[in-house]
Amino acid sequence: MTLSHDVAGQGPAIVLLHSSVCDRRMWEPQWAALVDAGYRVVRCDFRGFGETPMPDGPYAEHEDVADLLDGLGIERAAVVGSSYGGRIALNLAALRPERVAALALLCPAVPGHEPSAKLREFGAREDELLEAGDVAGAVELNLETWLGPEVDGETRELVRTMQRHSFDVQLAGPQDVGPTRPEVDLADVQAPALVVGGAFDHPDFVEIARELPGRLGGGSRPVLLDWAGHLPSLERPAEVTELLLAYLAEAHPAR
């Protein structure tokens, strides 16, 4: 399966990987700026998100991304991942290091993370709402949990639309098929990494952002945004775009 995607621009490649609360539309605020800076920019929808259908058998998300790069003739790219997309970016960088030139991780999930009681409580409540058929309630739970204090009404509505669509697609598909969870040693990540955390994020992700830089093998630059929740690229898009451009100019410069 080829992931639904957009591609634009000329130059070194950048791949944008979305959060599980969103789909590839979350990168709209950064899209034109990255293209204008001299990059070939790709954004995709994972299986069960946006315009990519649910799978009908086992699959590995990082291999889906690698297959997409193969189809586009891209040998090596910088990978920008938000939350869930950050975990997939780390899997790709650890298991297919030749494909990843640099990482920018925005409030990333990490492979093998043991969720806290508070995060398990969130997951249980989400499952409870979905099993009761209250999809709207599950959507609002996600907005309350993952959006920071600076998000505006238009962005909140976009995230609401993306999360509702993902739930609808996933609930309509097979419930016994999911992605594989490969064993990953983060010390195998040799690409340089920008690791961004949000002060108003869920405590699990604040802790991940604090300890992840010390686990990566390729060196890292930690940044804590004192205004951000879990989705900083949507909460203050212009500021995060400038942060990404400055980092990429050093780690993966446009020609």
Side-chain angles (χ1 to χ4, degrees):
M1 175 191 288
T2 299
L3 301 177
S4 296
H5 63 278
D6 304 311
V7 57
Q10 300 293 327
I14 297 175
V15 181
L16 306 174
L17 303 182
H18 64 79
S19 161
S20 63
V21 188
C22 302
D23 55 44
R24 75 184 194 262
R25 288 174 286 179
M26 75 170 288
W27 298 112
E28 192 63 29
Q30 286 75 45
W31 182 255
L34 291 170
V35 171
D36 291 346
Y39 293 102
R40 187 182 185 197
V41 188
V42 181
R43 59 181 175 181
C44 60
D45 291 327
F46 303 129
R47 301 196 199 208
F49 296 87
E51 296 179 320
T52 303
M54 287 287 286
D56 55 9
Y59 65 102
E61 292 152 315
H62 72 283
E63 290 296 342
D64 282 346
V65 176
D67 289 346
L68 175 61
L69 296 179
D70 288 342
L72 294 171
I74 296 171
E75 295 184 2
R76 191 169 169 82
V79 184
V80 180
S82 173
S83 185
Y84 179 75
R87 184 175 68 194
I88 296 170
L90 286 165
N91 285 340
L92 183 66
L95 299 172
R96 301 289 297 274
E98 75 282 0
R99 309 306 299 266
V100 180
L103 290 165
L105 306 169
L106 307 179
C107 304
V110 294
H113 175 69
E114 183 65 33
S116 67
K118 185 173 182 179
L119 190 56
R120 292 197 301 271
E121 180 182 338
F122 160 79
R125 179 57 179 156
E126 182 185 65
D127 289 345
E128 179 183 302
L129 290 166
L130 293 173
E131 289 168 6
D134 187 3
V135 180
V139 170
E140 295 308 310
L141 173 67
N142 276 273
L143 298 185
E144 292 166 9
T145 303
W146 303 118
L147 290 181
E150 302 237 347
V151 70
D152 61 28
E154 182 178 356
T155 300
R156 181 177 294 273
E157 187 57 34
L158 173 61
V159 175
R160 180 179 286 115
T161 298
M162 291 187 288
Q163 177 68 96
R164 176 63 196 236
H165 177 73
S166 297
F167 279 148
D168 288 344
V169 171
Q170 292 161 18
L171 290 169
Q175 301 301 298
D176 58 349
V177 176
T180 60
R181 292 285 183 256
E183 292 289 330
V184 171
D185 185 348
L186 293 176
D188 292 335
V189 175
Q190 295 301 310
L194 173 71
V195 180
V196 177
F200 291 94
D201 201 354
H202 190 285
D204 279 50
F205 288 90
V206 174
E207 178 61 25
I208 286 170
R210 182 163 46 241
E211 58 88 25
L212 177 60
R215 300 176 62 190
L216 301 176
S220 62
R221 180 183 307 175
V223 174
L224 178 66
L225 302 176
D226 60 9
W227 49 265
H230 190 59
L231 299 171
S233 66
L234 288 168
E235 295 164 17
R236 282 195 192 176
E239 187 168 324
V240 172
T241 300
E242 289 303 314
L243 177 65
L244 290 174
L245 287 171
Y247 168 71
L248 291 167
E250 297 180 13
H252 190 58
R255 300 188 184 93

